[in-house]
Amino acid sequence: MESELDYWSAKALLEWQVELGATEAMLDAPVDRYGLGEQKPKPARGAAAAPVPVVPKEADPVAEAQKAAQAAQALPSLRAAMEAFEHCELKPGARNLVFADGQAGARVMVIGGAPGRDEDLEGRPFVGASGRLLDNMLAAIDLSREKNVYITTVLPWRPPQNRDPSPAELAMLVPFLERHVALAQPDILVVMGDLACQAVLGKRGLSRLRGQWDQVWGKPVLPMLHPEDLMRQPQAKRQAWADLLALRARLNAQN
């Protein structure tokens, strides 16, 4: 039989095990270490706890857009706010910001959907073939961007390959459009195309919506076919003419 350890031998063995990293003595019952889960090591006695890193909260693009739009007190400052807005992925791929054209303060404000190639190059809405057709349509009821019409688009930047904007992109740009309308102060809004109807009215299905007056942002709204739709479907010009006459009648009634 082995002799029992004396005090000093037992103490030396214990100190040796501590040096090897042992932290607990033998327990009365077994412990399932796999069932304990991962445990973070405790800081040494007297050592300061490591600071918990602060993760910055990501900005909400819609909230940032609303804040920037509401801070604009005039059209030039609204344009500057849109130029400084960095949360929209459409911006880096566009050549120019497409803000507006025509006469600010005009009774009629035309809102298109998205800039195309020509608009992106010039930085103005409704240029090129579709712009010329729009000018002819307005002239037929004695309106023009040079005298009494103000024009803008829902998207200030051309989407890559003319794709539709994502719901997130649309949501962050609508606050700028709403503020644009408030600062321009038109009597009537004309929304051209399905994207403009979705942004302004929250509805799609232009064939059903066109020619039916609606109300949004305190303004009467007339949905109409976009000039590009008319270029693809010349037979629809009859419907566009009826809508133009309805617009002219509404303007005359408000005089």
Side-chain angles (χ1 to χ4, degrees), residues 107-108 186-189 213 215 218-221 246-255:
R107 297 183 63 196
V108 176
D187 292 337
I188 294 174
L189 298 178
W213 286 95
Q215 188 88 8
K219 309 288 183 184
V221 182
L247 174 60
R248 182 73 266 175
R250 187 70 174 249
L251 288 169
N252 292 339
Q254 291 182 357
N255 281 340

Side-chain angles (χ1 to χ4, degrees), residues 12 45 69-70 80 84 129 134 154 172 186 190:
R45 182 177 297 178
Q70 290 301 317
L134 175 62
V154 173
M172 72 179 71
V190 176

Side-chain angles (χ1 to χ4, degrees), residues 205-252:
L206 188 57
S207 60
R208 172 177 50 86
L209 296 173
R210 58 140 293 273
Q212 305 297 318
W213 286 95
D214 210 324
Q215 188 88 8
V216 74
W217 300 334
K219 309 288 183 184
V221 182
L222 178 64
M224 287 185 61
L225 293 167
H226 195 282
E228 290 183 353
D229 297 330
L230 300 176
M231 293 167 64
R232 290 190 294 265
Q233 308 169 39
Q235 69 275 13
K237 289 183 178 180
R238 182 187 298 271
Q239 297 174 332
W241 177 238
D243 296 341
L244 289 169
L245 292 178
L247 174 60
R248 182 73 266 175
R250 187 70 174 249
L251 288 169
N252 292 339

Side-chain angles (χ1 to χ4, degrees), residues 70-92:
Q70 290 301 317
Q73 299 302 311
L75 292 173
S77 57
L78 179 65
R79 176 172 187 146
M82 294 170 71
E83 289 175 335
F85 190 69
E86 299 295 342
H87 299 284
C88 184
E89 294 183 357
L90 300 177
K91 181 179 179 180

Side-chain angles (χ1 to χ4, degrees), residues 50-56:
V52 178
V54 178
V55 179

